[in-house]
Amino acid sequence: MTTPEATYRSPVGPTRPTPYVSSGRTPIVGLAAGLGAGTLVALVLSVLYAYGTLYIPIVQVEFLLTVAFGAAVGASTTGVMHRFHVRSRAVVVGTSLVLGTLAWAVSWLPWLYATMQRYGSGAGAIDVLDPTFVGVAIAQIYEHGTWGIGSSATSNVSGAMLGAVWVCEAATIIGFSTGVSLSMTKGRVFCETCESWCTVSGDLARWDLDHGETLRSSIVERGELSILSSTPAAVMIDRWLALKLGFCEQCGETNVLAIDSMTRKVDGKGNVTITDRPFVPYHCISKGEMRTLRQTFRR
């Protein structure tokens, strides 16, 4: 009987590569470690974030603090869960989303406390732990506001406009926590044989999109990897197909190949952005085939 691990190993001498499918395993200790690390970061940074946004009256800086807050929660959660070999992308990203939401919610407490202290309301730390007090305080701030726009502002931002700012703040924190996790988990390959993450190297070779269907059919349907070295290199600089290889450096038993569709864009300031999306998803290949490809497309 085929063991579960065999599904993720490179087939021996295949005539047709099989798709790589992650086991999706989630060790309980890894889930607990990710939750603990993300919660700790959320609690500590929520205080720094609350005081930073309250006492730094610069919109650009406040936005960067909001982005950094959410990104830090997502990065810490994902990094720790990967360290403990959590393979399920859905679990990792879902945990980052939950903890991003928690970070946003918890940040209200030190912010309310700091705001009350700044404006002399006399509220203490215990008060902001009372749900009734928190609800009343938020309602009052929503009605009257605490800050204005510009140095010559005659009234505070309040009501629907303040509510919209709060919604954008929540979306930024939760969105970046989730987005960073999505980015960190993208394209990862795990070797079930020695239980370690594989090395992934991308953009090793470039071909024009015109060769896409030929490459796809040759690799996926017939397992003819020789076409990779015989296909002419790309001449287009804004769109191309790129070779990506994933391999286990410890035992060499897990080896995968993929082709991504790449797009290069330059904005008006000359900043270059390269985005990628799967064209041929990961397929398992043999150890010998990986050795040949790495020698052929060495960078």
Side-chain angles (χ1 to χ4, degrees), residues 81-263:
M81 294 183 80
H82 276 170
R83 188 173 184 84
F84 283 86
H85 299 164
V86 177
R87 286 80 130 178
S88 173
R89 191 185 191 198
V91 170
V92 175
V93 174
T95 303
S96 297
L97 186 152
V98 170
L99 291 179
T101 305
L102 173 68
W104 163 74
V106 168
S107 68
W108 276 94
L109 303 183
W111 183 81
L112 282 174
Y113 173 76
T115 299
M116 297 301 179
Q117 292 296 310
R118 184 179 186 182
Y119 294 101
S121 70
I126 300 299
D127 295 319
V128 297
L129 298 179
D130 180 359
T132 301
F133 174 84
V134 170
V136 172
I138 290 177
Q140 290 179 346
I141 293 174
Y142 178 83
E143 181 179 356
H144 302 290
T146 61
W147 52 273
I149 299 177
S151 58
S152 59
T154 57
S155 61
N156 291 329
V157 175
S158 60
M161 182 176 292
L162 180 57
V165 172
W166 287 347
V167 169
C168 290
E169 177 188 36
T172 301
I173 294 172
I174 299 171
F176 271 88
S177 177
T178 307
V180 166
S181 184
L182 282 169
S183 177
M184 291 177 65
T185 56
K186 182 179 180 180
R188 301 211 69 174
V189 180
F190 193 84
C191 179
E192 297 289 343
T193 303
C194 63
E195 296 194 345
S196 63
W197 292 102
C198 295
T199 298
V200 176
S201 299
D203 209 9
L204 296 174
R206 298 182 177 186
W207 306 283
D208 286 333
L209 292 174
D210 294 341
H211 302 301
E213 292 307 317
T214 301
L215 287 168
R216 194 203 314 258
S217 60
S218 297
I219 295 170
V220 176
E221 298 175 10
R222 298 187 295 277
E224 297 175 353
L225 303 187
S226 59
I227 193 172
L228 297 175
S229 57
S230 61
T231 301
V235 296
M236 299 178 64
I237 62 171
D238 57 342
R239 296 185 67 195
W240 66 90
L241 297 174
L243 173 65
K244 181 164 64 178
L245 300 176
F247 48 90
C248 179
E249 294 191 276
Q250 296 191 39
C251 70
E253 291 299 317
T254 299
N255 301 281
V256 296
L257 169 154
I259 296 178
D260 290 339
S261 175
M262 314 289 288
T263 302

